[in-house]
Amino acid sequence: METSKFEKRKSFTEILKALNYHDEREAAVDLTILSASARYAEFSEECQRFEKIYGTEYREFEKKISNKVNEEDFREEDDLMAWKFAKEGAEFWLEKLEELKSVL
């Protein structure tokens, strides 16, 4: 026997209540914050990984690479681009988390 939309909706509402949510909006906001936090953590961990590898912060590493003359280290240049992407991603998701928290 197929479950009706009403029964599915009732079941969904019961699950939300069991998870201590008052309504769908509250659950959606919480899930969005959780997802944004996970993205922020991923990018931050990538930045920390590069800091550990190179023993410095992004700005110092960027200066080191830009000051090289007649030298090319493709690995370091690739890492700099990846690190920049991770840094910008972390900043983006941190900003979005602040926006989300202000909505609450």
Side-chain angles (χ1 to χ4, degrees), residues 12-48:
F12 181 69
T13 302
E14 289 172 359
I15 292 169
L16 287 178
K17 285 184 181 183
L19 292 169
N20 296 319
Y21 292 113
H22 294 98
D23 57 28
E24 292 171 354
R25 183 189 179 282
E26 184 182 10
V29 169
D30 193 47
L31 178 62
T32 304
I33 290 172
L34 182 63
S35 296
S37 296
R39 295 277 174 95
Y40 171 72
E42 289 171 16
F43 285 115
S44 293
E45 287 171 10
E46 183 73 359
C47 290
Q48 290 172 0

